[in-house]
Amino acid sequence: MGMAADGESHTGISFSGEDIRLDGAVYRACIFRGCRMLYQGGPLPVLEGCQFIDCGWNFDGAAANTLLMLGALNQGGLAPLVEATLDAIRNGSVLAQPAEGPARAPGARVIDLGFGRFPIPRLRRQPRRSVTDKHEGEA
């Protein structure tokens, strides 16, 4: 029971109890029963006319990191941003095309999610004090 490779195409096949890798794969009119669906954040899959019966959905790699980031934003006081993101997903206004790669705008202080621009919080690190700094002024 192995995983399908990226880019494979399947039409009209029934899968039962299998691990199904979604990244870059094409599934048309397939039936999945009790399968473990895995998406790792690679190329988007095509899932046309498929049925999913008692399947589990698993996210790993970049896809899991995205979910962790949304969870951290939500817990970090940015719940309205997370809700706006989920609303955009629900109404289809998130991104018309998948991202081609990470944004490369050095010094950018906003993130464009395709449905709005949002400020990026600035995290400041406190400089570490060396052992000698801690004892300055002490004689």
Side-chain angles (χ1 to χ4, degrees), residues 65-85:
N65 289 341
T66 300
L67 294 175
L68 288 170
M69 178 65 176
L70 286 170
L73 290 171
N74 190 65
Q75 295 298 315
L78 295 172
L81 170 64
V82 174
E83 285 303 317
T85 302

Side-chain angles (χ1 to χ4, degrees), residues 2-116:
M3 285 193 160
D6 292 354
E8 284 191 10
S9 183
H10 306 278
T11 302
I13 298 174
S14 291
F15 298 89
S16 183
E18 294 186 44
D19 294 330
I20 307 293
R21 180 178 294 149
L22 296 172
D23 297 64
V26 177
Y27 296 96
R28 291 187 169 93
C30 292
I31 299 171
F32 301 92
R33 293 183 197 286
C35 292
R36 288 164 300 285
M37 314 303 288
L38 175 64
Y39 180 64
Q40 296 178 305
L44 294 175
V46 173
L47 303 170
E48 291 179 356
C50 295
Q51 295 178 40
F52 302 92
I53 303 160
D54 297 324
C55 292
W57 293 82
N58 300 286
F59 300 90
D60 198 8
N65 289 341
T66 300
L67 294 175
L68 288 170
M69 178 65 176
L70 286 170
L73 290 171
N74 190 65
Q75 295 298 315
L78 295 172
L81 170 64
V82 174
E83 285 303 317
T85 302
L86 294 174
D87 286 343
I89 291 168
R90 289 182 194 109
N91 68 31
S93 66
V94 113
L95 294 174
Q97 295 292 321
E100 291 187 22
R104 303 206 190 280
R109 299 304 316 146
V110 297
I111 185 170
D112 188 341
L113 295 177
F115 59 92

